[in-house]
Amino acid sequence: MLGCAVAWSLSACGDKVPSGQVVAVANGEEITLGELRAEAAARSRGPNAEAVAPPVLLREVIDRKLWAQEARRAKLDQQIEFVLARRRAEERLLMDLQLRRIGNAVMPLSDAEIDQILRKDPGAFASYTVFQIDQIDAPLPPGGTAPKRLSNAGSLAEVDRLLTQAGLVGQRSRTEWNSRFMSAALADRLRQLPPDKLFFHRNGDTLIAATVIDKTDVALSRSNRRILARQSLGRQNIDSAINQELEALRAAADIRLQPGFTVSDGN
């Protein structure tokens, strides 16, 4: 379907029509079918997922290529802002690929192992918690940290005011957090929070300031307990493998700091 629509959109490309895996050429720069499929897949993920018709998608990719070519002609790719952003994007992508590799190498628990865990602790994974959350999401600048004054805030309204003073734009919303899809430590922390007690959580480059409005425990059948146990323990095993490799990398690394600079212990 994608290939047919793309081929139709290229019917007026000129005498040298791209073929095979190359669906278009923009000033000598090839756009492959794999690149177009990856672009479509990226658009279909996340909270802002959207379905884009192939000819429209191809038009947008071509236009992006043209803008990038023009920016290079203007030597914008030599500006420090671009150099640092590209380096950071490459490092983050490589890190994500390495974390995925580690996760894929962790063997999933067998049915027998799950059953043994549930027999030892009959109350384990008997329920999960749904948290009603009032939150403010504030994207931080690359490598940025949250304003220190936020730690003294007593309400989300005050957080919003302090973010504005710091030049950061926060978006407030109400949503549900599910303990099945978070670490056990975070779930336990949220369960113990008093109502309307402010807490902070960082998700990548986004700072989340939030309060727990309400929480509900949902009981599970035995079959669903096994599913939850597999998900939770599998996630814990992956997290453990990642932490072990990180500790090994830190121990083997040659890290030197300029006087006056410190790093946290990472915990």
Side-chain angles (χ1 to χ4, degrees), residues 108-164:
L109 294 172
S110 67
D111 290 343
E113 289 172 317
I114 295 293
D115 289 338
Q116 183 179 14
I117 291 170
L118 295 180
R119 282 196 299 270
K120 287 184 177 180
D121 187 356
F125 307 104
S127 65
Y128 64 90
T129 305
V130 176
F131 302 93
Q132 302 297 326
I133 301 292
D134 189 4
Q135 68 186 70
I136 293 177
D137 294 5
L140 298 174
T145 58
K148 292 183 179 180
R149 287 185 296 172
L150 286 182
S151 60
N152 299 322
S155 67
L156 287 177
E158 189 173 359
V159 168
D160 193 33
R161 179 177 61 82
L162 292 172
L163 287 172
T164 300

Side-chain angles (χ1 to χ4, degrees), residues 49-208:
E50 59 177 346
V52 182
V56 176
L57 186 66
L58 183 58
R59 175 76 274 164
E60 293 177 359
V61 172
I62 290 174
D63 288 347
R64 189 176 66 208
K65 298 282 187 188
L66 298 179
W67 280 119
Q69 292 167 6
E70 186 63 20
R72 290 189 180 94
R73 279 192 287 270
K75 301 188 183 302
L76 298 183
D77 57 331
Q78 298 177 20
Q79 291 187 359
I80 188 64
E81 178 183 2
F82 172 80
V83 173
L84 293 177
R86 180 174 62 183
R87 180 188 302 171
R88 182 171 175 276
E90 288 178 350
E91 290 174 351
R92 182 172 291 279
L93 176 58
L94 288 169
M95 180 185 76
D96 290 345
L97 291 173
Q98 176 67 0
L99 294 180
R100 190 185 309 169
R101 185 191 68 83
I102 295 172
N104 291 340
V106 175
M107 293 295 294
L109 294 172
S110 67
D111 290 343
E113 289 172 317
I114 295 293
D115 289 338
Q116 183 179 14
I117 291 170
L118 295 180
R119 282 196 299 270
K120 287 184 177 180
D121 187 356
F125 307 104
S127 65
Y128 64 90
T129 305
V130 176
F131 302 93
Q132 302 297 326
I133 301 292
D134 189 4
Q135 68 186 70
I136 293 177
D137 294 5
L140 298 174
T145 58
K148 292 183 179 180
R149 287 185 296 172
L150 286 182
S151 60
N152 299 322
S155 67
L156 287 177
E158 189 173 359
V159 168
D160 193 33
R161 179 177 61 82
L162 292 172
L163 287 172
T164 300
Q165 291 178 355
L168 300 174
V169 179
Q171 181 175 359
R172 189 165 181 173
S173 62
R174 291 199 173 192
T175 185
E176 288 186 352
W177 292 16
N178 193 313
S179 65
R180 291 179 297 174
F181 309 117
M182 63 180 69
S183 67
L186 178 58
D188 289 341
R189 178 188 173 196
L190 297 185
R191 291 189 185 101
Q192 296 167 13
L193 277 177
D196 298 324
K197 174 67 175 178
L198 193 64
F199 72 93
F200 296 92
H201 180 67
R202 184 153 181 175
N203 183 17
D205 290 328
T206 299
L207 173 70
I208 300 174

Side-chain angles (χ1 to χ4, degrees), residues 26-40:
N27 292 332
E29 186 173 356
E30 294 181 348
I31 300 171
T32 66
L33 185 58
E35 183 178 357
L36 202 60
R37 286 172 173 164
E39 185 79 19

